[in-house]
Amino acid sequence: MTTCLRGRAFRFLRPLPLLLTLSATAATMTLSAAAPPKARAEAATAPGLTWRSCAQPGGPAGQECAELPVPLDYREPKGPRLTVAVSRLRSDRPAARRGTLLMIPGGPGSSGVQWLRQKGDALRKETAGRYDIVSLDPRGVGASTTASCGLDADDRHLVHLRSWPRPDGGIEENVARSRRIAAACARHGGAVLRSFSTANEVRDIDRFRRALGEERLSAWTASYGTYVGAVYAQKYPHRTDRWVLDSSGDPDPTRVERGWLANMAAGADDRFPDFAAWASDPAREDDGLRLARRAEDIRPLFLSLAAELDRAPKESTTAGVPLTGNRLRQALQSALYDDASFAPLARLVQAARNPAERPVLPAALAQPLRDQDAAVTVAVICNDVRWPGSVSGYRRAVAADRVRHPLTAGMPANVSPCAFWKDAPAERPTRITAEGPSNILMVQNLRDPSTPYFGALKMRRALGDRARLVTVDHGGHGVYLGNGNACGDREVTAFLSTGRLPERDVHCAR
């Protein structure tokens, strides 16, 4: 979910020109011959899709891409258009095909085209060719129409876009930066930036469904994409078939992304013991990455090192970008997403502790984001819901959060550009309810640093009997085809293959 707000979610491609439109012809429309009359009637008035090969080395051989025209403003359907990049991987077993499965990416700001490239083959194999698999780059992402805030490079560093307080807890610099970013986005982003929202992504998805000629879609959604998927299922329940929400956050419509960010403080606390156990394991002696002999010593070691770097930042191998306490904290927060990131984090800690060594910063910490990447991430979270504007309120929240959750040092409770956003949300966030078909399977790690388990339980309660929850005793962000838990993968695959929900919620052991 970037995340919600994920540090490693900023991967995009080149932008396409604004107001790009495509002609709708029968020759370019993809429509199953078996599609019901209603779907064929919709397809007759839907935009056309001209598919072309976009296969890349390491990705699925048959991946295709196209461009979907969408209204800038759905209240003016004949007005200016944007382009949404879409992609598909057709079933390799046409006789077994039963429909189309949409992959909804996380972020805000992640590329569905890239996600399909990474996971498409595995998903097609796991579901035995039952689906054409499709995805999209949401507005502002990748090959879709993008926007710019015109931010200075320093403001585009991840450790600055995320408001990490000063070592003493002060937020004055965060407030000034947030005001500056909000003003720049208002000055440069225009109507395109204002259109980046969950509500419009949901509308774009339904337009994509129509263009595909499908009466209903199945879906695998991840992180922030689970919220997009839940909103789609609320708005278009009769258009959903088999719906998977992988790593969900709290859908509270009064907070939305603000709540997800705040919950990351407790999420880091839940997940850190996994890293501590790994970093104290005697097996780490072989690779020189054992940080302490006891797991309970890792947390004070890390906090002490971060405090030391607060006082005296250490020169890194990237000129002009030192390793500060907050960069170390951000490195930790990003590494908690995936066990595979534990070793690079331990190396960074070891280098920081070695007086003779200059640390090598991860690329996400060493380089600023591209302006359009920063723009879409900020815009979606600010356009979705109104954030409080009281600086004193943020100051109090940060002070309390630093005491409760020192690993994240008050960042999740801190001010953001949304506090000073110039435009009010165009519409209220959707309330997720139990009204709708019982066709939603949730799958969730117990120790997720980004979308913590307690937040997912709120999504589960909101959906009621529409959903079942598969809980996996694992740490990290993302479950299906990601963490190697056979039980979790089996439950999701069985649901996508048969459409049958478990009779009750399921617990998967390690």
Side-chain angles (χ1 to χ4, degrees):
M1 201 324 91
T2 179
T3 168
C4 307
L5 306 171
R6 298 173 61 169
R8 60 180 185 175
F10 305 98
R11 303 188 186 103
F12 307 98
L13 304 175
R14 61 176 179 83
L16 288 177
L18 184 60
L19 310 183
L20 181 62
T21 59
L22 299 174
S23 62
T25 66
T28 61
M29 184 64 65
T30 299
L31 180 61
S32 168
K38 187 173 183 180
R40 291 200 296 271
E42 277 194 330
T45 60
L49 294 175
T50 302
W51 295 101
R52 67 185 185 281
S53 174
C54 60
Q56 293 187 5
Q63 186 172 5
E64 298 175 299
C65 292
E67 287 136 8
L68 175 75
V70 299
L72 171 64
D73 186 340
Y74 275 88
R75 295 170 297 187
E76 299 179 11
K78 295 183 179 180
R81 301 291 181 96
L82 307 182
T83 293
V84 168
V86 298
S87 188
R88 75 175 178 185
L89 184 63
R90 286 187 280 191
S91 167
D92 56 356
R93 297 177 59 196
R97 182 189 180 278
R98 66 168 310 277
T100 294
L101 190 154
L102 172 70
M103 300 171 66
I104 304 180
S110 290
S111 165
V113 175
Q114 294 281 36
W115 190 28
L116 190 152
R117 186 164 288 136
Q118 295 160 2
K119 292 290 187 178
D121 265 340
L123 181 58
R124 183 167 62 178
K125 180 179 179 181
E126 194 74 11
T127 55
R130 289 181 174 87
Y131 299 97
D132 288 346
I133 301 168
V134 301
S135 194
L136 76 162
D137 283 351
R139 298 177 182 218
V141 177
S144 295
T145 300
T146 62
S148 170
C149 285
L151 302 181
D152 292 339
D154 190 57
D155 287 343
R156 289 186 271 114
H157 274 274
L158 180 58
V159 77
H160 293 154
L161 273 177
R162 292 189 175 181
S163 290
W164 290 94
R166 286 200 320 246
D168 63 359
I171 68 169
E172 291 75 17
E173 292 174 13
N174 306 132
V175 171
R177 192 184 305 277
S178 293
R179 289 187 187 276
R180 187 164 63 244
I181 291 173
C185 288
R187 190 163 54 249
H188 298 290
V192 175
L193 190 78
R194 290 194 297 271
S195 80
F196 297 166
S197 68
T198 297
N200 278 335
E201 183 174 345
V202 165
R203 296 183 181 103
D204 292 346
I205 286 171
D206 200 59
R207 190 172 176 87
F208 186 24
R209 176 196 62 78
R210 291 175 54 209
L212 291 167
E214 294 287 357
E215 187 170 13
R216 295 189 299 168
L217 294 171
S218 293
W220 173 25
T221 74
S223 192
Y224 161 69
T226 64
Y227 178 65
V228 177
V231 172
Y232 186 92
Q234 193 70 37
K235 293 286 191 181
Y236 304 99
H238 57 297
R239 299 303 186 189
T240 61
D241 188 7
R242 301 170 183 179
W243 221 244
V244 175
L245 307 184
D246 184 340
S247 306
S248 302
D250 179 358
D252 180 357
T254 66
R255 303 181 76 198
V256 197
E257 288 96 340
R258 182 166 64 92
W260 305 338
L261 181 62
N263 288 346
M264 290 170 69
D269 290 340
D270 291 344
R271 172 64 163 152
F272 189 84
D274 290 339
F275 173 68
W278 181 93
S280 59
D281 189 331
R284 301 281 78 77
E285 295 283 8
D286 294 339
D287 50 25
L289 296 179
R290 192 179 187 190
L291 301 182
R293 294 189 173 277
R294 302 186 307 165
E296 56 265 37
D297 293 334
I298 301 296
R299 181 182 171 100
L301 180 155
F302 181 88
L303 292 174
S304 175
L305 178 61
E308 181 180 334
L309 291 169
D310 283 338
R311 293 187 295 270
K314 187 168 186 178
E315 183 181 359
S316 76
T317 57
T318 303
V321 185
L323 178 60
T324 62
N326 282 338
R327 281 197 170 88
L328 182 67
R329 295 180 183 101
Q330 180 58 61
L332 169 67
Q333 202 279 326
S334 298
L336 295 179
Y337 280 77
D338 188 347
D339 289 4
S341 298
F342 287 176
L345 175 63
R347 292 190 190 97
L348 184 65
V349 170
Q350 294 285 51
R353 298 171 72 195
N354 185 346
E357 188 173 354
R358 286 196 302 166
V360 178
L361 298 180
L365 293 181
Q367 303 166 2
L369 280 64
R370 294 169 55 194
D371 188 56
Q372 57 263 43
D373 303 348
V376 66
T377 303
V378 172
V380 172
I381 67 174
C382 298
N383 288 334
D384 270 1
V385 68
R386 174 68 80 183
W387 291 50
S390 169
V391 172
S392 60
Y394 286 109
R395 188 174 288 114
R396 289 191 298 271
V398 165
D401 211 53
R402 286 169 64 83
V403 173
R404 288 193 297 264
H405 309 288
L407 287 174
T408 47
M411 179 274 290
N414 205 355
V415 68
S416 81
C418 303
F420 311 109
W421 207 243
K422 304 304 181 183
D423 297 289
E427 53 202 297
R428 291 182 177 180
T430 298
R431 181 175 294 278
I432 306 304
T433 75
E435 298 176 7
S438 298
N439 63 352
I440 300 174
L441 185 71
M442 296 177 59
V443 60
Q444 191 82 20
N445 285 325
L446 266 178
R447 299 176 301 284
D448 187 320
S450 182
T451 53
Y453 189 67
F454 61 84
L457 291 179
K458 293 183 179 180
M459 177 73 85
R460 173 70 182 88
R461 286 194 290 271
L463 290 168
D465 199 48
R466 297 180 70 184
R468 298 291 184 273
L469 172 62
V470 177
T471 297
V472 178
D473 186 0
H474 202 280
H477 188 53
V479 183
Y480 187 51
L481 305 183
N483 65 16
N485 184 277
C487 169
D489 286 352
R490 185 169 58 248
E491 292 290 341
V492 175
T493 297
F495 172 64
L496 290 175
S497 299
T498 68
R500 292 192 295 272
L501 286 174
E503 291 186 6
R504 58 184 63 85
D505 291 351
V506 175
H507 182 88
C508 290
R510 284 178 179 267

